Amino acid sequence: MATATRSFGWVSDVPKAPLDPILGVSQRHAADTDPNKVNVSIGAYRTDEGKPLVLNCVKKAEAIVLADASLNKEYLPQRGDVAYTELCKEMLFGADSAVVKEGRVATVQTLSGTGALRLGAEFAKRFAKGSACYVSSPTWGTHNSIMEHADVEKKPYRYWNAEGRNLDLAGMLEDISNAPEGSMIMLHAAAHNPTGVDPTHEQWDQILQVCKQRNHICWFDSAYQGFATGDLDKDAYALRKFADAGCPIIVSQSFAKNFGLYGERVGTLSVVCESKDEVANVTSQLDVIIRNLYSNPPKHGANIVRTVLSNPELYQEWRDELLAMSLRIQDMRTALFNELQALGTPGDWSHITSQIGMFSFTGLTPAQSDAMVDKHHVYMLKNGRISMAGVTSKNVKYMAKAIDDVVRNF
């Protein structure tokens, strides 16, 4: 027994990790027995009944995949399904994009957007040596932890104007301009997480000008293409503008939100290059990193996406379903704003409807956010972020009353 104790002693000093700030809130919600409880913490789409949604186009594509006798369960190459990645880069950059037509984009399949970010960070550590990654303040928390785990230096740039509850463009431009030449700038392609505040086209043009002047590597995190406005092309405006301008670009792409394939882990990482030779070199190095991280990606989710993107009827059905999801969230923004107005809730709540995508940065303080959870059983993040996908026609009045209470009393 003494020998066994010594054998396992190496783990005796391992501390318990803190709960993930998002998943931990969801775990508390699951354990809550209050009938009025609401979960607006997690970034996953819900129907107006508060249920997860499997898209009709996904069901049809899955049936096609299962009926295809030519498919098997063999390993994919490290870079993944090449037919899938070709369709993905066209979706990102546009089929008529010069970088696509000239074959200057190295694209590999990844474990959704998080896997794409982690793979990109490993690649950057090796080949963008000395370049820090600048992330917006605030940003999706995992951006920070991924860079820490990959040992890539991260620094913040100003983004959120708390007083006006809008974009701090002047601060953003100043910080990006002051960053050392050739820095990596993490940009949210559409539907900024957590604020829901996106630059206008004119503001993107100003950001582009500074990034180009400073020869920055522009790293777009594209987790919500088509989900933000309901239009794939509108949501790709910034990425395509930067690509057309000749900026060095990395893109992390996820199909979790816009396909509802949260558990399938489907995504890509793309690196824009100057030549086909560079594409071959970059892809070969990504293959090496993938081999030593997870060997090769899974097939099933990529088969679904490839089937939809390559089938005109399913592709159109997907775009229609994307628009419907986007419009439901926009309707909930309007409904929540109207309820707050009817209650006379102190403050200006117009940012609820001016923000875009899945999230709203409410402006609630940490104390008010805690009260939302502890008193009203509305599970949200401490920074004031709520997922508008968790708001429904059945709980929006309760949500508004809870916000009104905490604003007045906490």
Side-chain angles (χ1 to χ4, degrees):
M1 181 63 70
T3 301
T5 301
R6 284 197 300 274
S7 298
F8 287 92
W10 69 278
V11 295
S12 62
D13 293 328
V14 176
K16 186 174 182 179
L19 282 175
D20 181 274
I22 298 174
L23 299 181
V25 174
S26 290
Q27 290 171 12
R28 288 185 61 191
H29 171 266
D32 193 339
T33 58
D34 190 277
N36 293 316
K37 68 178 182 179
V38 178
N39 189 1
V40 286
S41 66
I42 195 164
Y45 183 79
R46 295 292 181 261
T47 66
D48 197 48
E49 290 71 41
K51 303 296 183 183
L53 176 67
V54 179
L55 300 182
N56 288 325
C57 68
V58 167
K59 293 177 182 178
K60 293 175 182 178
E62 199 160 37
I64 292 170
V65 168
L66 293 175
D68 189 343
S70 70
L71 298 178
N72 55 51
K73 299 297 183 182
E74 293 295 301
Y75 291 124
L76 282 172
Q78 284 98 320
R79 65 192 64 182
D81 181 336
V82 176
Y84 157 82
T85 56
E86 288 298 312
L87 290 164
C88 292
K89 74 175 68 171
E90 289 185 6
M91 176 183 151
L92 285 169
F93 296 97
D96 294 329
S97 168
V99 296
V100 172
K101 284 185 171 182
E102 295 166 9
R104 294 194 291 111
V105 185
T107 303
V108 297
Q109 183 181 338
T110 62
L111 306 181
S112 200
T114 305
L117 288 159
R118 186 66 175 84
L119 175 61
E122 282 294 324
F123 182 78
K125 179 171 65 176
R126 288 162 171 77
F127 301 105
K129 293 180 179 178
S131 294
C133 185
Y134 285 74
V135 298
S136 63
S137 179
T139 191
W140 181 48
T142 311
H143 283 155
N144 293 306
S145 58
I146 284 173
M147 296 305 156
E148 290 172 359
H149 278 264
D151 199 23
V152 173
E153 184 181 10
K154 60 175 176 59
K155 295 182 178 180
Y157 64 81
R158 283 170 284 177
Y159 191 87
W160 170 250
N161 173 20
E163 184 177 352
R165 297 180 183 178
N166 54 18
L167 177 65
D168 181 4
L169 180 65
M172 179 183 184
L173 293 176
E174 182 179 1
D175 290 346
I176 292 175
S177 180
N178 289 336
E181 185 173 348
S183 296
M184 293 181 288
I185 310 297
M186 181 71 70
L187 300 164
H188 299 229
H192 185 274
N193 178 7
T195 69
V197 173
D198 283 2
T200 64
H201 286 189
E202 293 74 18
Q203 289 170 336
W204 272 123
D205 293 346
Q206 294 180 62
I207 297 165
L208 166 60
Q209 184 179 9
V210 173
C211 287
K212 195 163 176 61
Q213 287 173 347
R214 300 295 294 156
N215 196 32
H216 290 325
I217 302 167
C218 301
W219 189 338
F220 283 91
D221 189 5
S222 181
Y224 299 95
Q225 187 180 354
F227 198 94
T229 65
D231 187 292
L232 291 168
D233 298 317
K234 286 182 180 178
D235 290 349
Y237 171 83
L239 169 60
R240 294 177 183 179
K241 185 86 173 181
F242 279 57
D244 290 344
C247 290
I249 290 175
I250 303 172
V251 189
S252 307
Q253 181 183 32
S254 168
F255 290 105
K257 308 297 193 298
N258 53 16
F259 262 85
L261 295 174
Y262 303 97
E264 299 293 352
R265 313 314 294 148
V266 196
T268 67
L269 178 74
S270 292
V271 180
V272 176
C273 306
E274 287 189 340
S275 68
K276 289 184 178 180
D277 287 342
E278 284 188 4
V279 169
N281 294 343
V282 168
T283 307
S284 72
Q285 293 292 344
L286 290 171
D287 279 343
V288 171
I289 299 171
I290 290 168
R291 176 62 173 162
N292 290 281
L293 284 178
Y294 52 87
S295 189
N296 55 284
K299 281 185 168 181
H300 188 66
N303 283 338
I304 292 171
V305 173
R306 174 172 46 76
T307 300
V308 172
L309 295 183
S310 61
N311 182 306
E313 290 183 5
L314 290 180
Y315 178 71
Q316 186 55 54
E317 184 171 8
W318 174 54
R319 294 193 70 149
D320 292 342
E321 290 186 278
L322 263 178
L323 179 60
M325 288 191 289
S326 177
L327 289 176
R328 193 191 87 72
I329 288 178
Q330 291 175 41
D331 288 344
M332 288 303 98
R333 288 184 179 278
T334 301
L336 181 58
F337 172 76
N338 288 342
E339 291 294 337
L340 292 170
Q341 290 294 99
L343 291 167
T345 306
D348 179 4
W349 296 94
S350 59
H351 60 286
I352 298 289
T353 51
S354 65
Q355 292 170 1
I356 195 170
M358 184 171 285
F359 302 110
S360 177
F361 218 41
T362 59
L364 295 180
T365 66
Q368 291 167 342
S369 299
D370 284 344
M372 290 285 285
V373 175
D374 297 336
K375 181 177 179 181
H376 295 288
H377 306 270
V378 176
Y379 288 85
M380 59 181 291
L381 300 193
K382 197 179 186 74
N383 64 6
R385 190 196 83 170
I386 63 172
S387 171
M388 293 305 302
V391 182
T392 70
S393 58
K394 299 176 182 63
N395 66 29
V396 65
K397 286 182 179 291
Y398 181 78
M399 281 277 301
K401 289 178 181 178
I403 292 172
D404 183 77
D405 176 64
V406 301
V407 168
R408 294 179 188 276
N409 298 305
F410 290 88

